[in-house]
Amino acid sequence: MTVVQVLLLIGTGFIGLIALNLYSRLILTKIIFLSISCFICFLIIFPNYTTLVANKLGVTRGVDIIFYFFILFSVIILMKLYWKIKKLQHDFTKLVREFTFLENKTTKNN
């Protein structure tokens, strides 16, 4: 095992532990993060398997297939975050409008 593999394993374990602690209430999320961390560790220890899978999918190198999946995953996460932010903006706008309406209503009554 090379030094880079050891560093990647330590980093993956550290990130996995942080993710498990952040989502400590949801057991399904814990299982998903643990599974992803174990899969990443497997790919770090046995990098030749990524090349085998990539070749079966028509990609020449294993690193390329990992990069493609990373781009796809990143776009999905960005879209999800964008829609959450839009929903928060909409909810905040509704709250401000309701607050302003109630404030105007109370000042007119006084």
Side-chain angles (χ1 to χ4, degrees):
M1 188 174 296
T2 64
V3 175
V4 172
Q5 286 176 317
V6 171
L7 292 174
L8 288 172
L9 286 172
I10 292 170
T12 302
F14 184 68
I15 291 170
L17 288 174
I18 290 173
L20 286 175
N21 286 333
L22 286 177
Y23 297 101
S24 61
R25 293 178 291 165
L26 304 172
I27 189 71
L28 180 63
T29 308
K30 279 184 173 183
I31 292 170
I32 290 171
F33 277 119
L34 189 60
S35 300
I36 291 171
S37 295
C38 289
F39 180 69
I40 291 172
C41 288
F42 176 79
L43 293 179
I44 291 170
I45 295 170
F46 304 107
N48 292 335
Y49 283 107
T50 58
T51 305
L52 291 173
V53 171
N55 288 335
K56 292 199 187 269
L57 294 175
V59 180
T60 54
R61 297 185 311 166
V63 173
D64 292 342
I65 196 81
I66 291 172
F67 189 67
Y68 298 152
F69 281 124
F70 174 74
I71 290 172
L72 179 66
F73 183 71
S74 297
V75 169
I76 291 169
I77 295 297
L78 284 172
M79 288 173 49
K80 190 173 181 178
L81 288 172
Y82 173 78
W83 288 112
K84 281 188 177 188
I85 290 171
K86 284 304 232 182
K87 184 182 178 319
L88 285 172
Q89 287 176 336
H90 182 265
D91 293 346
F92 184 72
T93 302
K94 279 178 59 176
L95 283 172
V96 168
R97 285 179 184 160
E98 288 178 24
F99 178 75
T100 305
F101 176 74
L102 290 174
E103 190 176 62
N104 287 336
K105 190 176 181 181
T106 57
T107 54
K108 286 183 181 179
N109 289 338
N110 291 334

